[in-house]
Amino acid sequence: MKRAIVTIAATIAGIVLLLGFKTHPMPETTSTGPVAASSPTAGASQQPSSGATAAVPPATATPATGAPATGTSTLTGTTVETQYGPVQVQVTVTGTKITDVTAIQVPSGNGRDQQINSYAIPQLTQEVLTAQSAHVDMVSGGTYTSEGYLTSLQSALDKIGIK
Amino acid sequence: MGTVFSFDISAPGVSAHALQGVVDWLHRMDAMFSTYRPDSEISRLDRGSLQLGECSPEVHEVLELCEQASRDSGGYFTARLPGGLDPSGMVKGWAVERASTMLQAAGSTAHAVNGGGDIQLLGKPQDGRPWTIGIADPFRRTALATTVAGTDMAVATSSTAERGQHIIDPTSGLPATALASITVTGRNLTTVDAYATAALAMGDKAKSWISGLSGVEAFAITATGERWQTPNFPTAGNPGN
């Protein structure tokens, strides 16, 4: 299970890279290199959720390219209803980087759910990792059943202005 | 739309306010077109609690675009699915292209907008090279099938791997299975995305159909792993990895 968390965390690091509003001039954000993608620290340190949802401001238009904050906070995304059931994720953010993500609510109980949990999300992960390692700007194709996962993730990121 | 949009704005001077306006608009479109929301205009229109004449201009526009795509593709693109009215195959590409146009109107000369893997590009990244877009490999999630490069370009991929075999061949009523994935490129994502959906439904007939279209190219991987592409498909290099 630990391994799965690492995979997801790495995925989210990649997704955030893709989601980041790369306004300029902000040199560090123009890079599409393999930022935290292969970071073995992902998932290694579960941060306490002391800085959770209530402590962060609502979504703003602030690009994710502002001066990096140094604090760590844990944000809980909204529960997203999907055709397969509710999905909710929790994101740990250090500065402007995602350092951990856990799915705290996923559909469970049938084969289809197992597919989502064990198959779709890691696949999405891998694709994003590949995108970074191949130094491409974006990837076409590959929207999987993890859309609810991503939507919940986005709602968590919205709370800190990372889009 | 139930998908994630991402923006890579390499042009300077685009305000966060303008970007927020685009994001807000996308949320409004999601609320308007979602087939998962019973209160969306599309859901209400489909069950008859809302008349077409009462719908927003955007709904009229998208439904007309659906009709156009259906004509262009000989009926392989359709918003009238067995389960009811579902213009989702049009909405995403249309919304991404519109978001790109809104950013351009706000002063952006270079950006990439990605909605669930369908991408509208404008200009170039900051370092002056063309945008480089990886094409997901439908058989190997850890790899890219190929990479395309371009500037003012749209890229859309339809795949049987996404959300299962969800694209139905409207002529047979059965899932389209001949192609594992097809990527279509062109100038405008609204058209390109709809064509990618239609082409996947067409299967074996897609190559000759795309080849007969002006300004549109395609790259496909068949269910048996064979690959084909049209002559001017904008390949950037060798497959990733």
Side-chain angles (χ1 to χ4, degrees), chain A residues 11-160:
Chain A
T11 304
I12 300 309
I15 290 169
V16 170
L17 183 71
L18 295 175
L19 289 175
F21 287 153
K22 300 175 201 165
T23 53
H24 300 274
M26 289 300 293
E28 75 278 10
T29 60
T30 62
S31 167
T32 54
V35 179
S38 59
S39 169
T41 64
S45 59
Q46 189 80 11
Q47 298 292 337
S49 56
S50 56
T53 317
V56 295
T60 69
T62 308
T65 53
T70 53
T72 294
S73 56
T74 302
L75 307 153
T76 303
T78 54
T79 301
V80 176
E81 293 296 333
T82 73
Q83 60 194 112
Y84 309 109
V87 174
Q88 188 176 26
V89 303
Q90 193 172 63
V91 185
T92 300
V93 180
T94 301
T96 57
K97 283 201 170 62
I98 303 295
T99 52
D100 195 11
V101 172
T102 50
I104 57 177
Q105 191 177 180
V106 293
S108 59
N110 62 38
R112 184 76 188 185
D113 298 333
Q114 292 304 314
Q115 178 185 358
I116 296 167
N117 297 340
S118 66
Y119 177 82
I121 292 172
Q123 282 195 351
L124 178 67
T125 300
Q126 287 303 318
E127 180 166 300
V128 174
L129 290 175
T130 303
Q132 292 177 103
S133 62
H135 296 281
V136 300
D137 295 305
M138 288 179 171
V139 170
S140 177
T143 55
Y144 304 107
T145 43
S146 51
E147 283 181 352
Y149 176 88
L150 287 171
T151 305
S152 183
L153 165 67
Q154 184 64 64
S155 76
L157 299 182
D158 283 347
K159 292 171 181 170
I160 52 167

Side-chain angles (χ1 to χ4, degrees), chain B residues 194-212:
Chain B
Y195 284 5
T197 302
L200 193 75
M202 277 182 204
D204 295 336
K205 297 175 220 156
K207 188 177 184 182
S208 62
W209 178 61
I210 294 284
S211 299

Side-chain angles (χ1 to χ4, degrees), chain B residues 8 11 46 53 63 70 82 112 114 130 192 207 229 234:
Chain B
D8 184 346
D46 190 38
L63 293 180
S70 182
N114 184 341
V192 162
K207 188 177 184 182
Q229 65 186 57

Side-chain angles (χ1 to χ4, degrees), chain B residues 162-189:
Chain B
E162 58 178 299
R163 284 172 280 173
Q165 294 177 350
H166 74 310
I167 291 184
I168 303 294
D169 176 353
T171 64
S172 68
L174 299 172
T177 57
L179 298 179
S181 82
I182 183 161
T183 298
V184 178
T185 62
R187 178 65 188 83
N188 300 303
L189 189 61

